[in-house]
Amino acid sequence: MSGTNEAHPLVETQGSQRRRCFRILSLDGGGIRGAFTAAFLEGLETRLGRPIATSFDLIAGTSTGGIIAVALAMGLSAGDVVRMYQEHGNAIFTRRRRSRMRWAMDFLPNAFLRKAGLDRDALWRSKYDAAALAHAVDTVLEGKTLEKAQHRLIVPSVRTSLGRPIVFRTPHVPNQDRDRHLSARDVILATTAAPTYFPPHWISDPHAEGQFVDGGLWANHPGMLAYVEAIRISQVCRRPEDVPFTPDDILVLSIGTGESPSAFRLPESKAGVLSWAPHLLELMMTSQSQGTHRMLRYLLPDGRYHRINFAHCGAGWELDAVGNLGILIANGRSESRNMIGQIPAQFLDGVAPPYVSFPPPASPAGLPSAGVLNRPATAADPASEAGYES
């Protein structure tokens, strides 16, 4: 793979014709283990000699992968994201302080609860507040909105105030303008609000007002979501600057945040809340990622889907195991050096055509229009059902 080849990527088709491919970068959720993803991408950037985002037509990220995806789409380098993890990771995963009286009151209950991986404080509120994460995002993204993105972007979340999934997106398809003025900060805090770890995030923007939690609850591996989005782009984006492609031209490079080769076993007759609590979120996210991986491997044969992941031992590698930060970054950089030759050249050679956003829709009088798809969605609003309420 050459870092100097600036031609648009092409794929071979029947009859030896060559046609432009549409490349997707898909980034899993996984808490602090996202540092592996950022470091792996940093290594690719070093080899290519340019920002990794320039290789892709669409970037999708969930939870910690959403942090990375938003940053890359805004023009930051993967190295910038690695530094964010290094400088802010410990603060993000630092528990709230408790008074001495509160500590004394919790001592005996915690002696019992810790056997189930819990503590009394975590029964009543999230383990962490989001202030440190919000500060980290503000530091690196400086108040940017999705309208300022330099690359197409999608980020899943769950809108608890309506009880349904949602996809935040840049204005890269016509008549989908709801998220144009959403702050990158709001999008990141919405997709990273992992239940029990961080509190739900409230967005006050009138076009997307509501309470949101982690997108990993339904799309921890956002590759399938991105694949469907790419098909949609191929169907509805018909401007002169939109280079045509077909579903057969779609490629997906997916990066995971680790899998444990060991499983856990619940007590068969006593699997209540205390048995499930330490495992449920991780199990949901890992199972969703594995299921999506298998579907994409089937839907995108002939090397059109490539997955990067690593194994960990499970215990001690939880979503908030910030003590592993240095190891994760070192492993990401090492794996990047070792595996770059195994990534098919069609995923990284050349750069994607420039992303040109769609302008805001206008009313017949030429004035900005809220439009059906831009007004606040309601549970009875059929327009909100299209494209996962987006």
Side-chain angles (χ1 to χ4, degrees):
M1 287 170 288
S2 170
T4 60
N5 180 9
E6 297 300 313
H8 295 165
L10 302 170
V11 291
E12 295 287 350
T13 60
Q14 292 182 348
S16 298
Q17 296 177 343
R18 290 170 66 78
R19 187 172 61 216
R20 192 185 79 82
C21 61
F22 188 94
R23 300 193 296 203
I24 295 169
L25 178 62
S26 171
L27 308 176
D28 281 24
I32 195 62
R33 298 198 302 265
F36 169 89
T37 303
F40 185 91
L41 293 173
E42 179 191 37
L44 295 185
E45 287 186 337
T46 299
R47 177 66 181 269
L48 294 172
R50 53 180 166 82
I52 188 64
T54 61
S55 293
F56 296 93
D57 299 276
L58 174 65
I59 305 174
T62 302
S63 197
T64 192
I67 298 175
I68 302 168
V70 171
L72 296 180
M74 292 295 170
L76 275 68
S77 69
D80 293 329
V81 184
V82 170
R83 284 187 289 276
M84 188 196 76
Y85 280 106
Q86 291 172 320
E87 295 172 5
H88 299 278
N90 282 292
I92 291 170
F93 291 106
T94 295
R95 295 291 295 270
R96 298 179 176 93
R97 291 184 178 180
R98 293 180 294 164
S99 66
R100 291 185 179 181
M101 181 177 294
R102 182 66 178 268
W103 184 90
M105 291 174 60
D106 292 347
F107 181 78
L108 289 178
N110 283 346
F112 168 74
L113 290 169
R114 285 199 179 100
K115 295 179 182 179
L118 299 170
D119 59 55
R120 190 169 182 266
D121 190 57
L123 294 180
W124 304 106
R125 58 182 181 175
S126 60
K127 290 180 71 174
Y128 312 102
D129 64 39
L133 175 57
H135 172 70
V137 173
D138 290 340
T139 300
V140 298
L141 293 177
E142 301 175 339
K144 292 180 179 178
T145 63
L146 294 194
E147 187 176 35
K148 302 299 182 182
Q150 300 175 21
H151 307 275
R152 296 180 189 87
L153 170 72
I154 58 171
V155 177
S157 182
V158 176
R159 194 174 195 168
T160 59
S161 50
L162 289 179
R164 61 181 59 169
I166 187 171
V167 180
F168 300 110
R169 54 166 55 81
T170 47
H172 57 253
V173 291
N175 300 318
Q176 290 281 301
D177 203 56
R178 183 202 59 204
D179 303 331
R180 177 183 298 273
H181 300 298
L182 277 185
S183 69
R185 180 184 193 268
D186 273 336
V187 172
I188 287 175
L189 293 179
T191 194
T192 57
T196 75
Y197 285 89
F198 292 101
H201 181 64
W202 181 268
I203 294 179
S204 57
D205 185 284
H207 294 153
E209 186 175 15
Q211 185 186 74
F212 300 85
V213 295
D214 200 308
L217 294 178
W218 72 284
N220 197 58
H221 179 336
M224 180 65 74
L225 179 63
Y227 176 63
V228 173
E229 185 79 1
I231 294 175
R232 184 184 187 191
I233 291 170
S234 74
Q235 294 172 342
V236 302
C237 297
R238 301 295 187 182
R239 301 170 300 178
E241 57 267 40
D242 297 321
V243 182
F245 65 96
T246 72
D248 289 338
D249 304 323
I250 298 172
L251 309 176
V252 178
L253 178 63
S254 168
I255 304 181
T257 56
E259 294 181 354
S260 171
S262 59
F264 67 91
R265 182 172 181 176
L266 295 165
E268 295 179 4
S269 61
K270 300 178 181 179
V273 173
L274 291 180
S275 299
W276 272 107
H279 308 290
L280 186 57
L281 184 62
E282 179 89 43
L283 178 62
M284 290 172 59
M285 296 171 72
T286 300
S287 298
Q288 195 283 328
S289 289
Q290 292 175 348
T292 297
H293 166 63
R294 293 176 182 179
M295 288 185 283
L296 284 173
R297 190 171 56 184
Y298 174 79
L299 289 172
L300 298 171
D302 304 322
R304 292 165 53 209
Y305 171 70
H306 191 80
R307 174 83 164 163
I308 304 292
N309 211 350
F310 68 98
H312 61 78
C313 60
W317 286 84
E318 293 80 10
L319 302 178
D320 58 348
V322 73
N324 295 327
L325 181 59
I327 297 173
L328 287 162
I329 292 173
N331 287 353
R333 289 168 173 166
S334 175
E335 286 298 295
S336 181
R337 291 191 297 270
N338 296 337
M339 299 186 68
I340 192 168
Q342 301 176 31
I343 301 175
Q346 61 184 349
F347 285 93
L348 297 175
D349 274 353
V351 298
Y355 158 58
V356 180
S357 65
F358 279 82
S363 67
L367 299 175
S369 170
V372 172
L373 293 176
N374 297 324
R375 70 172 183 259
T378 65
D381 184 359
S384 70
E385 299 290 346
Y388 300 110
E389 198 210 322
S390 54

